[in-house]
Amino acid sequence: RKEVEQDPGPFNVPEGATVAFNCTYSNSASQSFFWYRQDCRKEPKLLMSVYSSGNEDGRFTAQLNRASQYISLLIRDSKLSDSATYLCVVRSGGADGLTFGKGTHLIIQP
Amino acid sequence: GAGVSQSPSNKVTEKGKDVELRCDPISGHTALYWYRQSLGQGLEFLIYFQGNSAPDKSGLPSDRFSAERTGGSVSTLTIQRTQQEDSAVYLCASSQIILFGELFFGEGSRLTVL
């Protein structure tokens, strides 16, 4: 089983809709969780950290389910500019212990 | 600029040649990471530096790959005797705090081995 798994998509979603996708991780000792965003042919950038109690940043909500070992990202009122690849990132200890998922490709359609 | 700077942005080389990729991290960031991203693939961890030392080099794909960091700042990733499978985007990132910090990525060096 891969350490961090994501549905690659693409998710084709109409503008204004709500979209959610999950990421599963295999290491139960994982400590920190993040969502990064990567635009086409650009570098990844931190979107938000994921806290145990769940957290919200504007239209974006991230949640962590330790029992089932997954994190989720929900985007409300999607915008065309939300089109990107969303990378799930898990830190499992050790200074180099960041593992990136392969990403979920999201396309917001007008 | 204030971000992570990488050079060259694009490099085309012939199989068997050596290449050197450079990363200039954000000033004051003690941790520096190298990743590789092939087309349609996720980020593959290569190596990280805490200051000038690299505690874990196990992510380097083969002994043709090496990296160094001097003065706690600039890092170079060297690939000797390049192979076609080395073609990828090589991304450098830095963070202020090695275990908990946000990673700031450079725009990457796109390497094409003919």
Side-chain angles (χ1 to χ4, degrees), chain A residues 67-110:
Chain A
S68 301
Q69 294 183 204
Y70 74 85
I71 66 172
S72 63
L73 179 67
L74 182 141
I75 306 173
R76 290 182 299 277
D77 186 24
S78 53
K79 311 292 185 189
L80 295 177
S81 57
D82 294 334
S83 298
T85 296
Y86 291 83
L87 304 173
C88 171
V89 184
V90 177
R91 188 185 297 280
S92 301
D96 68 320
L98 275 180
T99 302
F100 284 76
K102 291 187 177 182
T104 295
H105 189 197
L106 176 65
I107 301 171
I108 306 300
Q109 297 174 326

Side-chain angles (χ1 to χ4, degrees), chain B residues 12 17 26 29 36 39 41 47 53 55 59 62 70 83-84 93-95 97 104 107:
Chain B
V12 180
K17 300 281 189 180
I26 293 172
H29 281 195
R36 177 168 75 172
L39 187 63
Q41 299 299 308
I47 190 171
S53 65
S62 75
T70 55
Q83 303 294 311
Q84 288 184 332
S94 69
S95 69
I97 306 171
F104 293 84
E107 294 187 346

Side-chain angles (χ1 to χ4, degrees), chain A residues 53-69:
Chain A
S53 55
N55 49 299
E56 188 174 306
D57 183 1
R59 297 181 293 107
F60 297 83
T61 300
Q63 293 197 315
L64 167 65
N65 185 317
R66 284 194 182 273
S68 301
Q69 294 183 204

